[in-house]
Amino acid sequence: MTNAEMAELLTMLQAAGLPNTRLGTNLLICPMPNERGGRLHCDPRTRQWKVSPGYEAHPAFWVTWVGSATVAAWLGSRLPTRAEAMEAPAGARAYNCDYAVGDTCPVLEPGWRSMAGSTTGAAHQP
């Protein structure tokens, strides 16, 4: 489901009196700030859900299980059962497991410089 489709569903539910939150708990999605990957935001003035510009066709993130089940029902489908979810990857070979974990090259913060002769990326204040 794209962000635009999720915004449409959330706005429709909001208009029907079914908001995303109940007693402080996010039911369908967990709205996050842009810097944490959040692209869906509810405008409290208009009570409509908006998508950050340029992210309309991107997949919706931070969707709860209840939100996923709601989307599936809205689309005339359902979530897989546990047995179906466990069977799907059976026999599959992992092919993306040979990448390095963490930073593979040293990164210095702005205003910091590398220590002379350091190959570990250690830094100190100028």
Side-chain angles (χ1 to χ4, degrees):
M1 165 155 275
T2 67
N3 284 320
E5 292 167 330
M6 191 65 172
E8 178 187 355
L9 174 60
L10 291 166
T11 297
M12 181 182 70
L13 292 171
Q14 180 97 13
L18 301 167
N20 179 53
T21 58
R22 173 89 171 119
L23 302 174
T25 300
N26 293 308
L27 303 174
L28 305 174
I29 67 159
C30 300
M32 293 287 180
N34 278 334
E35 56 272 5
R36 298 249 349 251
R39 304 295 180 229
L40 290 164
H41 310 283
C42 187
D43 182 340
R45 190 178 47 78
T46 64
R47 298 181 48 156
Q48 292 196 354
W49 286 82
K50 307 285 183 190
V51 181
S52 298
Y55 291 93
E56 296 83 1
H58 288 231
F61 287 3
W62 302 101
V63 180
T64 66
W65 185 91
V66 172
S68 296
T70 302
V71 167
W74 187 50
L75 296 173
S77 190
R78 64 176 176 81
L79 295 180
T81 65
R82 176 151 177 84
E84 290 168 338
M86 297 304 287
E87 181 182 318
R93 187 179 76 72
Y95 60 88
N96 63 342
C97 57
D98 56 351
Y99 56 88
V101 176
D103 290 335
T104 59
C105 61
V107 177
L108 299 176
E109 294 294 326
W112 291 65
R113 55 192 158 101
S114 179
M115 293 174 61
S118 172
T119 58
T120 63
H124 67 85
Q125 224 169 359

